[in-house]
Amino acid sequence: PQGIGSPSVYHAVIVIFLEFFAWGLLTAPTLMVLHETFPKHTFLMNGLIQGVKGLLSFLSAPLIGALSDVWGRKSFLLLTVFFTCAPIPLMKISPWWYFAVISVSGVFAVTFSVVFAYVADITQEHERSMAYGLVSATFAASLVTSPAIGAYLGRAYGDSLVVVLATAIALLDICFILVAVPESLPEKMRPASWGAPISWEQADPFASLKKVGQDSIVLLICITVFLSYLPEAGQYSSFFLYLRQIMGFSSESVAAFIAVLGILSIIAQTIVLSLLMRSIGNKNTILLGLGFQILQLAWYGFGSEPWMMWAAGAVAAMSSITFPAVSALVSRSADADQQGVVQGMITGIRGLCNGLGPALYGFIFYIFHVELNELPMPESSAGGSVVAQYHLEQNSIIPGPPFLFGACSVLLALLVALFIPEHTNLNVRSNNWKKHCGSHGHPHSPQAPGEAKEPLLQDTNV
């Protein structure tokens, strides 16, 4: 039996929700275990762990996508969810193995790629944007709710219960895939052997990046994406640790911050984005988003009080309009047979940033000696938290050096984006586009022309 009912978007939505809900529960415990395991170089090790995971995901995502085209989606959904969630029970067993397995799990931590391919198999082209939006909203909803639940349970019953609960939810997700998820490619399944035909050119993670310089407009867009997403990827990997250990946020405050930021980002990417696109145009929306991102990063970098972090978080939600606007600009400017190529470049650059950003942030924290000599004191009985001794011992006037580096990087992105024309047509640039589109035209590729627009938005909601 293949599963319960016929393949649907709701199967994919449940898989995504359970996986990220399980990880969201561990937000607060992971921050404490990380510092207890690496007390001397917390931020550096966090950057290296997340950087290795991101680079491995970037390298493996196209290959796993190509293999799922041959062997089907269900088996690779099972594989990616299993290896992504495998480190969870190790948190209490062995923290060293926990972080080691997290970094190595990047090879298979590409559930989104397989889920988007699954959705593409079962939807028509005109339905795909709404389906991808539902998956992205589910991802955001899981991260909005689960950190607060995990922080509350950890405070009331201990972190061990949180780890057990997260492990149980991960196992539930695996069982759901085994029992309930039907295969979306039953008639196209091939024998699971290495002799089955695989498009190795499609599996090359650098294939899309090699074409960046072939069109001046695409080059400007890709440089803008790289310079703006590099600090964003680094920020997401270390910011909640920064709030917890440097700014003295309690576990509940970190969870509340994630929830508020997620809700505001969803509002910004729906209501505010649509109003801006209609009133000031696509390019100006991108420039406005980059301006908000510069302000947000500078505020994070110089902010030394908790209220400053909350205020900057509201600005960060507004900066989340940048990448949907970039995606809309590219999809509007490129021909249908060029969507996969152009969006594939942008997605590839974002994947590369997911590996480079965390490592860069961790290294900058290390260079500026932003570390702690001891764990923060526990929360007071009044519910507040005692700020870490970092503020008493650190002489630097800049609490968050990497955020200021990020602000400079986004400023360069803003200057580059000024040269992107508001209205352009990428299909008249070069005849080489037609040639390169052929290598991306596999009917069920995660970057096929019809469905390549929305995966760009997969991790920008929170």
Side-chain angles (χ1 to χ4, degrees), residues 111-431:
T111 309
F112 262 110
S113 297
V114 184
V115 164
F116 279 121
Y118 187 97
V119 171
D121 293 338
I122 58 178
T123 55
Q124 300 298 319
E125 187 170 341
H126 66 279
E127 305 171 328
R128 218 158 275 157
S129 294
M130 184 176 294
Y132 285 149
L134 182 60
V135 173
S136 297
T138 303
F139 166 76
S142 67
L143 292 184
V144 165
T145 55
S146 54
I149 296 174
Y152 170 76
L153 293 177
R155 182 163 188 154
Y157 304 104
D159 289 345
S160 296
L161 176 66
V162 180
V163 174
V164 170
L165 179 60
T167 304
I169 293 175
L171 290 174
L172 177 63
D173 197 9
I174 293 172
C175 294
F176 177 78
I177 297 173
L178 280 172
V179 176
V181 175
E183 175 56 58
S184 61
L185 288 174
E187 73 282 0
K188 296 180 176 61
M189 290 289 288
R190 309 240 182 115
S193 66
W194 287 103
I198 296 173
S199 174
W200 293 108
E201 184 177 357
Q202 182 187 355
D204 180 7
F206 298 98
S208 60
L209 301 182
K210 295 173 184 175
K211 308 180 185 70
V212 166
Q214 295 179 358
D215 185 286
S216 59
I217 306 300
V218 174
L219 179 61
L220 291 174
I221 293 174
C222 289
I223 292 175
T224 301
V225 170
F226 179 80
L227 291 175
S228 59
Y229 192 69
L230 184 68
E232 186 172 335
Q235 171 189 323
Y236 286 152
S237 70
S238 60
F239 186 63
F240 301 126
L241 175 65
Y242 180 79
L243 290 179
R244 183 76 177 93
Q245 304 291 356
I246 301 300
M247 300 308 299
F249 273 45
S250 65
S251 300
E252 291 80 5
S253 297
V254 171
F257 188 94
I258 296 174
V260 171
L261 184 58
I263 294 171
L264 291 178
S265 297
I266 293 173
I267 295 173
Q269 291 186 53
T270 52
I271 301 172
V272 177
L273 179 63
S274 61
L275 292 175
L276 289 175
M277 294 281 277
R278 286 197 300 266
S279 58
I280 65 175
N282 206 322
K283 177 184 174 180
N284 290 330
T285 301
I286 295 174
L287 297 177
L288 183 63
L290 292 173
F292 277 118
Q293 189 177 0
I294 294 172
L295 177 60
Q296 159 225 331
L297 288 169
W299 210 336
Y300 282 158
F302 286 112
S304 58
E305 299 295 332
W307 71 265
M308 297 180 181
M309 299 296 104
W310 284 97
V315 179
M318 281 301 300
S319 72
S320 66
I321 64 176
T322 303
F323 291 103
V326 169
S327 179
L329 176 65
V330 171
S331 62
R332 182 181 305 170
S333 303
D335 265 3
D337 62 349
Q338 298 171 1
Q339 293 284 344
V341 178
V342 183
Q343 295 283 3
M345 292 179 192
I346 295 175
T347 305
I349 288 173
R350 285 166 55 84
L352 191 61
C353 290
N354 281 329
L356 298 178
L360 181 63
Y361 264 52
F363 184 64
I364 295 176
F365 272 125
Y366 174 72
I367 289 177
F368 283 85
H369 305 290
V370 181
E371 300 291 347
L372 293 173
N373 293 327
E374 60 184 59
L375 283 169
M377 296 175 63
E379 287 79 4
S380 63
S381 58
S385 63
V386 180
V387 177
Q389 290 189 2
Y390 164 82
H391 291 297
L392 301 177
E393 300 177 2
Q394 183 71 17
N395 295 322
S396 174
I397 61 172
I398 304 176
F403 302 112
L404 293 184
F405 169 83
C408 296
S409 178
V410 179
L411 178 60
L412 292 177
L414 179 64
L415 296 177
V416 173
L418 288 172
F419 294 95
I420 300 175
E422 174 71 45
H423 302 288
T424 185
N425 193 350
L426 300 179
N427 64 335
V428 299
R429 301 285 168 211
S430 170
N431 292 330

Side-chain angles (χ1 to χ4, degrees), residues 80-121:
T80 55
V81 170
F82 175 81
F83 280 98
T84 302
C85 297
I88 292 178
L90 295 175
M91 176 181 282
K92 286 300 179 182
I93 299 174
S94 172
W96 280 90
W97 276 106
Y98 171 69
F99 291 114
V101 175
I102 282 180
S103 44
V104 175
S105 70
V107 175
F108 297 101
V110 289
T111 309
F112 262 110
S113 297
V114 184
V115 164
F116 279 121
Y118 187 97
V119 171
D121 293 338

Side-chain angles (χ1 to χ4, degrees), residues 30-39 42 245 372 374-376:
T30 296
L31 300 181
M32 293 301 297
V33 172
L34 182 67
H35 183 72
E36 291 172 355
T37 308
F38 308 106
T42 308
Q245 304 291 356
L372 293 173
E374 60 184 59
L375 283 169

